[in-house]
Amino acid sequence: MADKAKFIEELTPRYTPKGEHIILGKGMLDGEVVSEINVTIPLKTINRHGLIAGATGTGKTKTLQVFAEQLSHAGVPSLVLDIKGDFSGIAEAGQMNPIIEERYAKTQLPYNPQAFPVELMTISGGKGVKLRATVTEFGPVLLSKILELNDTQQSIMSIVFKYSDDKGLPLIDLNDLKKVLQYVTDNAQGKAELAANYGSIAPASLGAILRSIVALEQQGAADFFGELSFDVHDLLETRDGKGVVNILRVADIQNKPQLFSTFMLSLFAEIYMTFPEEGDSGKPKLVLFIDEAHLMFDESSKALLSQIETMVKLIRSKGVGIYFITQIPGDVPESVLSQLGLKIQHALRGFTAKDKKEISKAVENYPTTEFYNASNLIQNLGIGEAFITALDEKGIPTPLVHTYLISPESKMDVLSDSEVSDLVNNSSLVAKYQEDINKESAYEMLTSRMEQATQNSAPTQKSRPVKEEPGMFEQIMKSRAVNTFFSTLLREGAKAVFGKIGKR
């Protein structure tokens, strides 16, 4: 039997922050809840990222729900990537039941069933706020990474973007990009312009790029690229003092890894380029929760994987925390795992030799403790229990504590179709991004130009070919000046972050 008095004496000061904090549960010792130990996390360290891990059915999603609720109470908004589609219940109030009543009797904490402000979001045409970005905002560097182009093809993509900029051809969606590629490949005037000012490009390379774009479209990217572009500052809303929980439902990620990579790269780049430096602000500006993170690491593009470590290091300074939810810590690359300050470990099951090795590796990542046999207890944690180690206000890892987690105050089930419809229909953000804006861009401009060229080349009375009006591109540039200027800034910024930093 461990010394309870010593346990309380050692852990109480380490889990009693002076500043703002959230509470996740109560400490446990020898299977009993120790009500004197509040397991709290300082808000100022939440941007140091974290991991929620555990075998299927051990309560990870409910822990995520509690975490998001506590952040909302503190006025911190979050974005939850809901892979399984079982998180939406946070928008409705929970109900007391015997299990919750027993849990809160042990913790001696109040249970206040309530709903939390929620926005549902989509990148694949489902119900909710439509998240889009323009091709120009991505720029040649990010887009080349998503399309997994080789060095030669990446340089061609940069030339195509430069050509589009110089000619005032806005690249809004993938149709625009394909049209420019077609124009400089098949159209005599386009080929001549490109060769004269930027150098010749092999048709085979352009064809390979087009095939990569078509493959990306097959995963639904045609709906993702376009206007109105999503403003990441819309993720920072609060209502009545509570942070909004933004839920992105991506249940079909397994079939659309490139689309998911596209979204994640766009999100990271946009946040990094547009959020100001926060420094030590006292609490995070935004927290990202990536559920079923092993799918991201297993299925997503090399481009995303190569940037995650860099972004985990850099995005913290923007006041943003990233939390990965997965089954075993080994699902997360070591280079990323080493950057995660908070670890919430639910039970692991040692059914096979490989499972036992994963358990040993997981325990090695925790601070040593005299109060628990961690290797044994980790396999016998009950539902709603977890090992927790975090960072205190000085950034020092806290002692490992067996935690009896509080229950969500919101509904522990999915919303019905009618509840989802009500939520979406009453959302001002959904209305803001609902319309698919199809402005005149490269596709329309070049289609018109090619049609005009065809008409001018038709046999007529012996007359000289009609010359192009001087200043046409200058007029186009003038009409699109504001949009092109803004888009160029974003593109060059993204290039700096994901190009130069990524090559270190």
Side-chain angles (χ1 to χ4, degrees), residues 345-465:
Q345 179 65 64
H346 288 267
L348 292 176
R349 308 302 185 202
F351 296 125
T352 67
K354 182 179 179 181
D355 292 338
K356 293 177 180 178
K357 288 181 180 179
E358 290 292 346
I359 290 172
S360 297
K361 288 169 59 178
V363 171
E364 289 173 2
N365 287 322
Y366 304 142
T368 56
T369 175
E370 65 179 276
F371 299 109
Y372 309 114
N373 180 342
S375 296
N376 180 60
L377 184 54
I378 197 174
Q379 301 178 64
N380 295 285
L381 293 169
I383 295 175
E385 299 176 12
F387 275 146
I388 291 181
T389 178
L391 297 177
D392 64 17
E393 290 172 305
K394 296 180 180 179
I396 302 171
T398 58
L400 186 68
V401 57
H402 179 191
T403 304
Y404 193 69
L405 296 158
I406 59 176
S407 298
E409 297 172 312
S410 55
K411 181 179 178 180
M412 291 191 284
D413 200 355
V414 298
L415 296 181
S416 65
D417 289 341
S418 61
E419 289 172 329
V420 169
S421 296
D422 288 343
L423 191 61
V424 170
N425 293 337
N426 293 321
S427 168
S428 59
L429 270 189
V430 169
K432 176 180 177 180
Y433 293 102
Q434 184 66 35
E435 185 180 358
D436 186 4
I437 301 173
N438 189 17
K439 296 179 180 178
E440 185 181 34
S441 52
Y443 180 85
E444 290 80 12
M445 292 177 179
L446 292 178
T447 298
S448 176
R449 183 173 178 180
M450 293 166 75
E451 290 174 352
Q452 186 65 41
T454 300
Q455 293 174 8
N456 291 341
S457 64
T460 59
Q461 294 181 351
K462 293 181 179 180
S463 59
R464 294 182 179 180

Side-chain angles (χ1 to χ4, degrees), residues 33 62 80 134-135 148 166 171 199 207 226 234 251 269 312 332 345-346 417 424 441 450 463 499:
V33 176
K62 298 301 174 279
V80 180
T134 67
V135 171
E148 299 185 335
D166 292 346
L171 299 175
D234 283 335
V312 165
V332 180
Q345 179 65 64
H346 288 267
D417 289 341
V424 170
S441 52
M450 293 166 75
S463 59

Side-chain angles (χ1 to χ4, degrees), residues 80-87 247-254 260 289-296 325:
V80 180
L81 274 62
D82 184 15
I83 306 296
K84 299 190 296 292
D86 57 358
F87 192 77
I247 302 174
L248 175 61
R249 295 184 293 175
V250 283
D252 51 358
I253 177 182
Q254 296 94 326
F260 183 66
F289 292 101
I290 304 174
D291 197 6
E292 300 293 336
H294 65 279
L295 294 175
M296 182 182 71
I325 298 89

Side-chain angles (χ1 to χ4, degrees), residues 158-190:
S158 296
I159 290 173
V160 169
F161 269 73
K162 181 66 167 61
Y163 173 84
S164 300
D165 265 357
D166 292 346
K167 300 301 183 181
L169 301 171
L171 299 175
I172 304 300
D173 54 29
L174 292 179
N175 281 335
D176 293 327
L177 183 58
K178 289 191 297 182
K179 198 66 177 180
V180 172
L181 290 169
Q182 179 191 355
Y183 182 71
V184 299
T185 305
D186 299 335
N187 182 272
Q189 185 175 350

Side-chain angles (χ1 to χ4, degrees), residues 88 90-91 116-120 239 244-247 415 423 427:
S88 58
I90 197 170
F116 290 82
V118 164
E119 287 288 352
L120 298 179
R239 296 174 194 163
V244 172
V245 182
N246 302 284
I247 302 174
L415 296 181
L423 191 61
S427 168

